[in-house]
Amino acid sequence: MMLEPDKRSYCFGVADKLEAERDLTDDEFSAVLLCDEPGFDEYLSEKARAIREKYYGKAVYLRGLIEFTNYCKNNCYYCGIRRGNANAERYRLSEEQIISCCDMGYDLGFRTFVLQGGEDPYYTDDKVVSIVKAIKEGHPDCAVTLSIGEREKDSYQKFFDAGADRYLLRHETADKEHYEMLHPSELSFDHRMQCLRDLKEIGYQVGCGMMVGSPYQKTEHLVKDLRFLQGFKPEMVGIGPFIPHHDTQFADCEAGTVDMTLRLLSMIRLLLPDVLLPATTALGTIDPRGREKGILAGANVVMPNLSPSDVRGKYLLYDNKICTGDEAAECIRCMAMRISSVGYETVVSRGDHAAFGME
């Protein structure tokens, strides 16, 4: 009679295999995700830290975030700035305000600016092109990252030709049926995936990522996410726990957990050793030391907020989002001290390969 393998030995052995081979079977991915053995997460995170230090040393990259509009034409079921939320206090930044944020960030030492917003039709292709060109003309040594959702390929090409270097577009979930549970029928899983392929084909450094613990999410969905990341090979992966917003239909759903987010950060680091992994605002929102824990799990990017202080509290994708204090760009010394407290050091230079940030 064949004896069932010792569960503890099996889980730890699968972690060793992931480190050595950068690949697992679907069942092995599930085993890592579901493992409840004492000490397993620390074992996994030690391996992830060793890999990130092999590629990046002790550096944690700071990227300046500018949340320039909270208008959005979409009605994603989980999002606080969804079109249907009449309680959202809307705002848009002018090109001059955006450039002012970049000027301030430049003086603070930032060399990458991340322009993030809802899918706001007010910002036409021409407006986006004008903003990108203005940033590049004012700060030619800086990188520009866009995170403005789904557009057609010719629009992405215009932004790239204007000087945009990187593009962040979360895939949210790699399972089509799950995607359709989180979005209205006007939004298409196939189009989201086509956008990601278009961005890579144009030549952007591309970031994608998923929510952890989103409504209806199963272990098999996370396995699909990992398999998608393995095949797509993005330059950056932004993951964060799902946090419900009170003005959405998922208001009463449970949030994702810190522990599963950290475990997935470590798994992604082992799967894609040189990927850029942010410790996101969402992680810092559900745990006061979430970002530090993310760094210790293998993350190597944080993204302080360069948005004007009077709008930071309005870009609320989820409840209780941190928008003042240490994550604000003006408190860069505070952020550096927090990162230093776990043995790492912040870096604000452009760093062409290590260049991302996603919230």
Side-chain angles (χ1 to χ4, degrees):
M1 178 187 297
M2 181 177 292
L3 296 175
E4 183 177 341
D6 174 71
K7 182 181 172 185
R8 181 176 178 83
S9 297
Y10 177 73
C11 287
F12 282 71
V14 171
D16 292 339
K17 179 182 175 182
L18 179 58
E19 177 188 36
E21 301 182 15
R22 303 179 192 173
D23 191 21
L24 295 175
T25 67
D26 286 359
D27 286 345
E28 288 169 336
F29 273 133
S30 294
V32 175
L33 289 166
L34 296 172
C35 182
D36 57 2
E37 292 297 314
F40 180 72
D41 283 308
E42 182 53 33
Y43 187 73
L44 200 64
S45 64
E46 283 178 3
K47 290 181 175 297
R49 287 198 297 274
I51 291 293
R52 55 101 2 119
E53 289 176 23
K54 176 182 176 181
Y55 284 84
Y56 294 106
K58 295 286 189 178
V60 173
Y61 296 91
L62 294 182
R63 302 297 175 236
L65 173 67
I66 303 168
E67 295 165 333
F68 67 98
T69 175
N70 71 345
Y71 282 85
C72 190
K73 67 180 183 181
N74 296 331
N75 231 359
C76 303
Y77 298 150
Y78 51 83
C79 185
I81 65 169
R82 63 200 297 264
R83 181 185 74 229
N85 182 9
N87 295 321
E89 188 178 351
R90 305 292 180 175
Y91 73 92
R92 293 183 176 111
L93 299 186
S94 66
E95 180 174 319
E96 291 72 25
Q97 287 175 301
I98 294 169
I99 300 305
S100 178
C101 292
C102 293
D103 292 343
M104 178 187 73
Y106 192 87
D107 290 341
L108 287 167
F110 289 91
R111 295 299 179 265
T112 293
F113 303 117
V114 182
L115 272 59
Q116 180 172 289
E119 293 193 22
D120 184 353
Y122 172 83
Y123 293 94
T124 61
D125 288 359
D126 288 345
K127 281 188 170 71
V128 174
V129 164
S130 177
I131 291 166
V132 171
K133 284 184 174 179
I135 295 172
K136 288 296 223 178
E137 287 169 5
H139 305 292
D141 55 332
C142 292
V144 173
T145 300
L146 297 177
S147 180
I148 55 176
E150 296 183 25
R151 302 260 183 150
E152 295 308 311
K153 187 176 183 181
D154 61 341
S155 299
Y156 289 148
Q157 186 69 58
K158 290 176 186 176
F159 307 155
F160 187 79
D161 293 343
D165 303 276
R166 302 145 191 159
Y167 204 102
L168 313 180
L169 180 66
R170 279 187 167 177
H171 67 279
E172 301 297 5
T173 172
D175 183 271
K176 183 174 183 178
E177 183 178 352
H178 185 217
Y179 181 93
E180 290 170 353
M181 294 177 178
L182 303 176
H183 301 86
S185 59
E186 65 203 53
L187 294 175
S188 161
F189 172 82
D190 293 333
H191 188 259
R192 176 67 60 99
M193 291 298 181
Q194 184 60 52
C195 286
L196 285 165
R197 291 191 293 270
D198 289 344
L199 289 163
K200 180 161 271 199
E201 186 176 315
I202 287 168
Y204 284 94
Q205 293 182 16
V206 182
C208 58
M210 66 279 192
M211 291 183 289
V212 180
S214 59
Y216 312 115
Q217 188 178 73
K218 300 176 182 177
T219 300
E220 65 197 59
H221 297 145
L222 290 173
V223 172
K224 280 191 174 183
D225 287 320
L226 292 167
R227 197 63 77 198
F228 168 71
L229 296 174
Q230 184 181 36
F232 185 68
K233 293 182 173 60
E235 282 76 18
M236 203 281 304
V237 177
I239 70 169
F242 163 75
I243 303 175
H245 187 286
H246 62 279
D247 283 323
T248 70
Q249 67 191 62
F250 296 141
D252 296 326
C253 292
E254 287 188 19
T257 66
V258 175
D259 289 346
M260 183 55 74
T261 304
L262 297 176
R263 185 174 294 193
L264 280 160
L265 283 171
S266 295
M267 293 177 72
I268 293 166
R269 172 61 64 202
L270 295 173
L271 191 66
L272 302 169
D274 63 348
V275 77
L276 273 296
L277 272 182
T280 61
T281 300
L283 192 53
T285 295
I286 62 171
D287 186 318
R289 288 185 60 79
R291 279 172 161 161
E292 290 91 330
K293 291 178 180 179
I295 298 300
L296 291 173
N300 64 336
V301 173
V302 291
M303 197 157 61
N305 201 324
L306 285 171
S307 308
S309 57
D310 63 332
V311 303
R312 287 179 193 161
K314 300 176 184 178
Y315 198 84
L316 293 180
L317 308 182
Y318 45 81
D319 283 349
N320 303 313
K321 179 187 170 190
I322 51 174
C323 56
T324 58
D326 283 356
E327 57 57 75
E330 295 90 329
C331 203
I332 194 169
R333 282 196 186 89
C334 307
M335 180 69 77
M337 288 173 62
R338 293 178 64 168
I339 299 303
S340 176
S341 75
V342 292
Y344 292 85
E345 60 182 5
T346 51
V347 178
V348 292
S349 62
R350 168 174 169 151
D352 277 316
H353 181 60
F356 276 95
M358 176 185 278
E359 288 302 281

